[in-house]
Structure formats: structure tokens, C-alpha cells
Amino acid sequence: MLTIWQATPKDLPTLLYLAQETFREKWIPIDGKELVEAYIQQNMQISHFQNALLNPDISFWIAFWEEKPCGYLKIIRNAIPDKYIHLGKNFLQIEKLYLFAFAHRLKIGSELMKIALQVAQNENFDVLWLGVWSKNEQAIRFYEKFGFQKIGDWIFIMGDKICEDEWIMAKVLPRLQ
Ligand SMILES: CC(C)(COP(=O)(O)OP(=O)(O)OC[C@H]1O[C@@H](n2cnc3c(N)ncnc32)[C@H](O)[C@@H]1OP(=O)(O)O)[C@@H](O)C(=O)NCCC(=O)NCCS
């Protein structure tokens, strides 16, 4: 059974565990331990999540499969890639959407994506976007299924490595009114 709720400060240990361990599971086989641990050291310490949980522009949802923590979603409101600022649109970023491998293909990612889409609709954002490694085919297929398209290139910094083979994918949202 799947359970999802929006994280609050009392969920900090679970969130920290999910963020660090899903990131290690996904990227150590590809980028190696050194770069991944440097990224975690720089971006995924307890203080980062304490601050983020108090930031009204940031929200997290955590997912449990059979009561086991299995993944999470992090969104950031009004985060716009520099080159799109001139568009004057309201952008909502999916900054992280990560599940452990044991929980893939169970539609849990789809449920988390639906939450992001619902927030975008409720809060009148024009564009939902994310950065993705251009060779992360499972994720790209998943985003395409939800109507995201590549709109440009992106740079991701992993430790001291500048990863340039990254895409920005986006979905323009219909306005209700
Ligand atoms: C990307 C991710 C969130 C998808 O979540 P998921 O719960 O496994 O995906 P779902 O079960 O909701 O799949 C929905 C649809 O997406 C597509 N899809 C998902 N995974 C896929 C894969 N491995 N290969 C091809 N298509 C895939 C399919 O169309 C699927 O529908 P179907 O199962 O009916 O064919 C998940 O694979 C994940 O966390 N991966 C590791 C972390 C990661 O790379 N995150 C993204 C960083 S940008």
C-alpha cells in the first residue's frame, strides 16, 4: 500500500535518509562515490533540510510503500533558469523526484508528479520544469509520459564536476481562468 504526505519538520530524519540514500543508490554507480559524497556534503546535510522545511517556497512530499520510506518529491516555487527570466512567467521547479529502485514502476513517481501538477494548478504557475541528465532514459520517458519536453540545456554541479550533458524539460500549464 502506498502512503504519501507532505513533510513537516518532524519528518526531518526520514527526509534526510531518503534524499541521501536515493541519491547514493542512483549516482554512485554512474559518477562514483567521491563526487556523490561531495555533492551530499555540500547540498544534503541536516541544516539544508531544516532550512528548506521552513522556507515557504519549498515543499517536500515523502512516500512510503508497505510502510517503508521509498521516495520523495521536492518542489521550489518561483525558481527560474536564468535564461528564461525574460519570459516573465511563473515557474515551478521539480528540484528532486527520487525513488529507491525497489519502488520503481509501481506508479509512485506518477502519484508524486500528480502532486506537483496539482500545486502548479492551485497556485497558478505557468510552467513546471526540471533538470535531468540527458542519458537518464527512465526519467526522460517518465517525464515525456506527463507531457514534458526538452526546452534547453542545463548544467548540474556534482562535487567539483560540471555536468553539461543535462537538459531542461518543461511543461506549460493551462490556466484555469
Ligand atoms: C523516474 C522515476 C521517478 C519514475 O517513477 P516510477 O514510479 O518508477 O514511474 P511510474 O511507475 O509512475 O511510471 C509511469 C510511466 O513512466 C514511464 N516510465 C517509468 N519508468 C520507466 C522506465 N524505466 N523505462 C521506460 N519508461 C518508464 C512509463 O511510461 C510508465 O508507465 P507504464 O509503467 O504504464 O509503462 C523513478 O524511476 C526514479 O525515481 N528513478 C531514479 C531517480 C531518478 O532518476 N529521478 C529523476 C532525476 S531527474
Side-chain angles (χ1 to χ4, degrees), residues 97 99 104-110 136 138 141 145:
L97 174 47
L99 304 173
H104 288 180
R105 294 310 275 270
L106 297 171
K107 302 282 188 238
I108 302 171
S110 295
N136 190 351
Q138 61 171 187
R141 294 290 94 73
K145 174 120 182 186

Side-chain angles (χ1 to χ4, degrees), residues 48-49 51 109 137 153-154 164:
H48 297 119
F49 291 93
N51 292 336
E137 283 184 20
D153 297 310
W154 174 246
E164 291 186 342

Side-chain angles (χ1 to χ4, degrees), residues 96-155:
K96 293 278 188 290
L97 174 47
Y98 277 75
L99 304 173
F100 283 121
F102 82 82
H104 288 180
R105 294 310 275 270
L106 297 171
K107 302 282 188 238
I108 302 171
S110 295
E111 290 305 313
L112 292 168
M113 176 60 80
K114 283 183 209 161
I115 290 172
L117 287 163
Q118 194 64 55
V119 171
Q121 194 177 59
N122 292 348
E123 300 182 19
N124 278 322
F125 283 96
D126 300 308
V127 181
L128 184 59
W129 73 279
L130 53 95
V132 60
W133 181 40
S134 60
K135 296 189 181 64
N136 190 351
E137 283 184 20
Q138 61 171 187
I140 290 170
R141 294 290 94 73
F142 170 80
Y143 296 131
E144 284 173 347
K145 174 120 182 186
F146 280 90
F148 286 77
Q149 292 181 328
K150 182 189 173 190
I151 60 162
D153 297 310
W154 174 246
I155 287 176

Side-chain angles (χ1 to χ4, degrees), residues 23 39 42-43 155-163 166:
F23 201 79
Y39 180 89
Q42 289 157 7
N43 300 286
I155 287 176
F156 183 78
I157 314 246
M158 177 84 90
D160 58 6
K161 181 180 163 199
I162 298 173
C163 311
E166 304 272 329

Side-chain angles (χ1 to χ4, degrees), residues 14 17-18 22 62-71 100 102-103:
T14 309
Y17 163 75
L18 280 170
T22 57
I62 49 181
F64 299 79
W65 181 252
E66 310 296 8
E67 296 179 18
K68 226 174 126 151
C70 67
F100 283 121
F102 82 82

